[in-house]
Every structure is written in structure tokens, then in C-alpha cells.
Amino acid sequence: MPLLRKIEIFLKETNMAWTRFGRLAVRDPRFVQDLRNGREPGTTVSERVERFINLWHADHAN
């Protein structure tokens, strides 16, 4: 699944603002908007995003 799709699903599930996600995941509040506009993240950034999403789910599992 493409990274942007994973992020969009995460944002919908958590009701998190895209700017907050970018700030927390990669320290860039414009990150999601840049992806929506065609930005292609590198491997390191993609791995950071995946790790952030996985840790968030683990920390917030009921």
C-alpha cells in the first residue's frame, strides 16, 4: 500500500490533523500536504513514518 494511503487511513482512524501528524512523525508540519502534491519521500523518511504509525497503534491499543 502506498505511504500516502497509509497516512490518510491513519488520519481518518485517529482524527489527527495532517499538520500534527507531520510534526510528530517527521518534524515537518507540511509533510502530508507535500505528499499530496507529489513529494516522494526517501526510504529513511518512509521508515520513520511507518514506525510512527506502528508505535501509535501499539501505544493506543485498548
Side-chain angles (χ1 to χ4, degrees), residues 43-55:
T43 304
T44 303
V45 172
S46 295
E47 289 171 355
R48 283 176 64 187
V49 170
E50 297 270 359
R51 188 171 29 252
F52 173 81
I53 290 172
N54 292 335
L55 288 173

Side-chain angles (χ1 to χ4, degrees), residues 8-54:
E8 296 288 5
I9 291 169
F10 176 83
L11 294 177
K12 187 170 184 163
E13 288 175 349
T14 62
N15 201 31
M16 183 182 292
W18 57 269
T19 52
R20 181 172 183 224
F21 176 86
R23 227 180 353 265
L24 294 174
V26 294
R27 297 185 187 125
D28 180 359
R30 295 177 301 155
F31 178 70
V32 176
Q33 189 62 38
D34 289 347
L35 290 179
R36 290 172 178 163
N37 289 330
R39 176 177 171 185
E40 294 290 333
T43 304
T44 303
V45 172
S46 295
E47 289 171 355
R48 283 176 64 187
V49 170
E50 297 270 359
R51 188 171 29 252
F52 173 81
I53 290 172
N54 292 335

